[in-house]
């Protein structure tokens, strides 16, 4: 897949909301290989993070997406200069149904983590009230002949064996 194209699609999708909130969306693209991943799933995962960041930046700010490639891994970093996530909440943000938002379901980051893990990747978060929040996603790009089919993984996990 072409990660740069996925990111461009996301920016087109989210740009208007960012502009309305006075948020500067910035992309710092690195040189990326073409590698196998499910573009729709990765798009969903990234949109979940970006939507949360935009909600945190309700009175303006900067949302910066950086990509890089090193040692058969692609890293996507999403940083906002918002108020940060409370330290006591950090261990809970990937838990299903955890939310501090009145209207949220608490499933966005749980789904995001699952998508990244289905791609044999990892997601980490660093946050402070001074520096904002950074989500870092690492995806393996070295096994280009390994087909990642998350549809089957999800289907298999929902089968019940009786």
């Amino acid at each position: 897949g072409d990660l740069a194209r996925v990111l461009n699609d996301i920016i087109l999708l989210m740009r208007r909301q960012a502009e309305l909130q006075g948020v500067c969306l910035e992309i710092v693209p690195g040189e990326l290989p073409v590698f196998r991943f499910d573009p729709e799933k990765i798009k969903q995962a990234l949109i979940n993070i970006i939507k949360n960041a935009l909600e945190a930046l309700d009175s303006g700010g900067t949302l910066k997406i950086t990509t890089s490639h090193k040692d058969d891994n692609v890293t996507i970093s999403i940083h906002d200069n918002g108020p940060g996530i409370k330290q006591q909440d950090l261990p809970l943000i990937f838990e299903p149904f955890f939310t501090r938002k009145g209207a949220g379901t608490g499933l966005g980051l749980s789904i995001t983590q699952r998508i990244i893990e289905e791609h044999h990747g990892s997601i980490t978060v660093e946050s402070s009230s001074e520096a904002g929040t950074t989500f870092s996603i690492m995806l393996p790009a070295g096994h280009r002949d390994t087909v990642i089919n998350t549809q089957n993984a999800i289907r298999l996990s929902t089968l019940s064996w009786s």
Side-chain angles (χ1 to χ4, degrees):
D2 183 350
L3 188 58
R5 178 174 288 170
V6 169
L7 287 169
N8 284 334
D9 289 351
I10 291 170
I11 295 304
L12 288 173
L13 205 63
M14 306 303 286
R15 186 172 52 198
R16 181 85 179 117
Q17 184 181 344
E19 286 171 1
L20 289 172
Q21 292 179 221
V23 173
C24 175
L25 264 183
E26 186 183 342
I27 291 195
V28 182
E31 186 89 12
L32 296 175
V34 173
F35 64 103
R36 291 185 188 266
F37 65 92
D38 183 327
E40 289 305 312
K41 293 289 183 184
I42 293 298
K43 186 186 292 185
Q44 180 186 2
L46 295 173
I47 286 174
N48 287 343
I49 295 170
I50 292 167
K51 278 185 174 177
N52 283 356
L54 287 174
E55 287 172 13
L57 295 169
D58 58 353
S59 56
T62 302
L63 179 60
K64 183 176 181 179
I65 303 168
T66 309
T67 60
S68 60
H69 173 236
K70 183 182 175 191
D71 299 333
D72 289 336
N73 289 305
V74 166
T75 302
I76 307 161
S77 175
I78 301 167
H79 174 77
D80 71 68
N81 64 347
I85 300 166
K86 292 181 181 148
Q87 291 302 307
Q88 67 265 27
D89 290 348
L90 275 175
L92 305 171
I93 62 169
F94 295 111
E95 293 294 318
F97 308 111
F98 177 79
T99 183
R100 291 282 183 223
K101 298 179 272 186
T105 61
L107 291 173
L109 290 178
S110 169
I111 290 168
T112 293
Q113 183 182 46
R114 181 172 171 181
I115 289 169
I116 300 308
E117 288 174 353
E118 286 171 351
H119 282 75
H120 307 289
S122 63
I123 181 168
T124 57
V125 62
E126 292 177 31
S127 190
S128 73
S129 55
E130 302 84 36
T133 302
T134 303
F135 282 87
S136 298
I137 296 170
M138 196 171 70
L139 297 171
H143 301 92
R144 296 181 195 165
D145 42 337
T146 303
V147 178
I148 297 168
N149 187 337
T150 56
Q151 302 312 100
N152 286 345
I154 291 168
R155 230 179 269 124
L156 287 174
S157 67
T158 58
L159 289 176
S160 60
W161 303 95
S162 36

